[in-house]
Amino acid sequence: MERVLIHIHGIVQGVGFRPFIHKQVLHYALRGTIKNTSSGVELELEGERPELERFIADLPEKAPKLAVIERVETDFSPELKGFRDFQILSSKTEAQRNTLISPDIGICEDCLRELRDPSDRRYRYPFINCTNCGPRFTIIKDVPYDRAKTSMSAFPMCPDCDREYHNIENRRYHAQPDCCPVCGPHVYYLDAAGERVEGDAVELARAALKEGKIVAIKGLGGMHLACRCDDPAIARTLRRRKQRDEKPFAIMCRDAAAAKKICFVGAEEEKLLNSFRRPIVLLEKRGEILTHLSENGYVGVMLPYTPLHYLVFGDDIDMLVMTSANLSDTPIMYRNDEAIEKLSGIADGFLLHDRDIQTRCDDSLCFCLGGGEYFLRRSRGYVPFPVSTHEDLGMALACGAEQKASFCLSKGNYVFPSQHIGDLKNIETYENYTRQIRHFERLFDVRPTLLACDLHPDYLSTTYAAERAEEENIPLVRVQHHHAHMAACMADNALSGEVIGLVWDGVGYGTDGTSWGAECLVGGYRGFRREGSIREIPLIGGDAVTKDPMRVAWALLRESGESVHRFKDGPAWAFMLDNSLNCPLSSGMGRLFDGVSAILGVKETCSYEGQGAVLLEAAAKADEGAYPVSFEETDGVRRFDWREMIRRIVRDQADGVDRGVIAARFHNTLVDMAVRQCVHAREMSGLERVVLSGGSFQNMYMMRRLPAALEKEGFTVYRHRRVSPNDEGLSLGQIMIAKARMER
Ligand code: ZN
Ligand code: ZN
Ligand code: FE
C-alpha cells in the first residue's frame, strides 16, 4: 500500500470530472479525497502501487471529453493516512470555486444508437441525452449547475430516469438534462398560421420540407429556418422573405458522406465536422455548384447535432439549408412566442418544443486550418468554455468592438469569451449584450475590478464600459483597436515580450484620431509603435462606400492617374474630393479589396460587409505573378503605395489578362508587401516573431501563402487558434493590455 498526491492542472472542473474520478477510484479499489484548486484538482489516494499507477495512466485517455488536462504532477509516499472511503472536500477559498460550465454538446454515439433502437425506451425521442452529450450552456439559468436551475426544472424526473441519474454505473449518472418520453419535453408542429397540427410532428416537418416548404426548427441556441438545397427558387423565396440578398446560407448535411457530394472534405475537415462541438465548417465547393446558396467558392456545412436534427433527416434527406432565424441585423430568435409572431410570413411551418432556450447561442463558424479550427465565429459548442492564459489576469471585463460585438471576462488564468452577439447598433442586440455580460458575471462569479474597451469614443461598447466605470468606480483602460488585435493573437498563442504585428482590418480608431486599417505594429501588451500602413484611400461619402465599392474604385483609379471616364457619378465625386466634403481617409485593407474587386468587375455593389473581398478571393486563380511594391513615408509611417499596383492592374485588364489571374497577382502583391514590411520592422527592432490578426486574415488565399512566405524569410509566424481574428476576438487583447497597463 502507498499514498499518492496527484495534482491535475488544466480545465477539469464542471466537465463531469469528479464523477469520472469517483468511478475510477471505485474501479481500482482506492480510497482518499479530491478537492478543487485554483488551477485544477488535487487528489490524495491510497491503494496498491500498481493500481495507483494504472489510475494515473488512465487519466489522459479516459477523462471526459471536455476536460483539458495540461499537466499531472504526482508525489508517492509510503506513509499512509488510513483513508476509509472516498470523499469530495469542499472548496474553501474564492479562487478555488472555479466552476466551469459546459458548452452544448452534440449528441453522442451511444445516444444516437439508442435513438435508432426500436427496443430502447427512448426510441425516436428527440431529447435523448446523457453525461456525454446534450444541452448545457443554453438551458442554464443560474449556478450551481443542477436541474433545478435549468429549463429542465419544468420536467420532474420519472422513477426510471431518477434511477439512472443516481446510479454511478449508468451513463446518465448526474446528467442534469436527463429525461425520457414519460417525463421530458415534447415536440409539436404548427402550420404557417401558428395553429397546432395533429400528428407526428417530426413527420409533418419532414413532409413539408420535402414539398419545398420553409420550416422553422428549434435548435439548441435558437431557431433555424430550413428548406431544400437543390431548388434555387426555394432559396430565392427564403432570401426574399428573410430580406437577405446575397449572404451565403449554411447547410446541414446528414453526415460527412453527404457533405462529400458537394464539397472537398479531407480527413481533418471530416474530423472537425464530426467533433462533438459541431461547428459550421467552411468547405471548398466541388466546382460552380449551389451558387444560389453561396456565391463564393466555399459553403458552410455542419452535421446534425441534436437528436431532433437526426430525426428530421431520417435516412432519405441528404442536406438542408439551415440558416439562423433572424431578421436582418437582429439577434437569433430563441423563444417560441417570438418565433411564431416574427416568422409569420417567413416560415410555412414550425417544428417547436417545450424545452425553453435560456441563452441565445449562434452556430460557430470556422475554417479548418492545420487540423484545427480557424474561427470566424466562436459560439455554440465552444462558449462558455474558457481559454487559459499564461498570466493571472484577476477579475476583469473587456467590452470588445461594436459591429462584431463580443466581450470577455477574466478570472485568474481563465478568460471566458462570450458567444457571438452581433451588431450593437441594433437595440435588441445591445440589450442582449448587456444581459449576457451580467449573466456571465453571475455564472462565473466575477465582479470586475478592471474594465477595458476600444479607443473609439462612439462604439456602444465604449459607452457601456465608461458608464460602468463611472457607476461602479472601476478603472477603465481604453485600448487602440489594432493594438488589441495584436495582443489577442499574442495571448491566443501564449506569447510575452514584443512581436511584429500585422493587423489587417477594415477600420479601427487610431491614437491620432484618424481611422486606421492595415497596420504593421511593433510592440507587446504594454505598448506599441505604428511602423507601417498603406497609403490612405479617400472614402467618397464616408460610410456610403461599404455598399458602393465603385466609389473606392474611382478613388483608387483617380489617385493613380488612370482614366475615370466610365463613372457616371465621377464629376460629383471629384467635387466632393476636391473640396474635402465628406471624404474621410482610410488605410483599411478591406477598402483596397473592395476597390480592386470593383475595378475588375467582380463585384460592383455590395449587399453585406466584406462581400467584395470574399468574391475577389474566390476569383483568384493560382498564379505566381505579382506587381511591384513600393513604399512612401508620411508622418513617420512607412506606407505601401498601391498606385503602381493599380496602374499595372489597369494595364493587365487592357491586355485582356484573365481577371482570375489579376486577382491572384493582387493577393500575391499584398503577400510581398507584408513580407517587406516585416523585414523592415525586423531591421528596426530585431524582432523575428510575427502575429497575424484582423478581419482581412479570414482570407484563406492569404492564410495559405503569407505564413509560408514569412517563414521563408526566417520569421516565426503565429495566427489565431482559439479566438477569431476578426473583431469578435478583440476583447481578449483588450483584457491583456488593460492588465499590463495597470501593472505599470
Ligand atoms: Zn449521449
Ligand atoms: Zn423519464
Ligand atoms: Fe478590427
Side-chain angles (χ1 to χ4, degrees), residues 108 111 129-130 132-133 171:
C108 73
C111 286
N129 69 83
C130 73
N132 302 318
C133 74
R171 202 171 87 247

Side-chain angles (χ1 to χ4, degrees), residues 477-493:
V477 178
R478 294 169 193 259
V479 181
Q480 199 279 322
H481 192 90
H482 296 76
H483 187 203
H485 272 303
M486 178 174 93
C489 193
M490 288 176 70
D492 201 336
N493 290 281

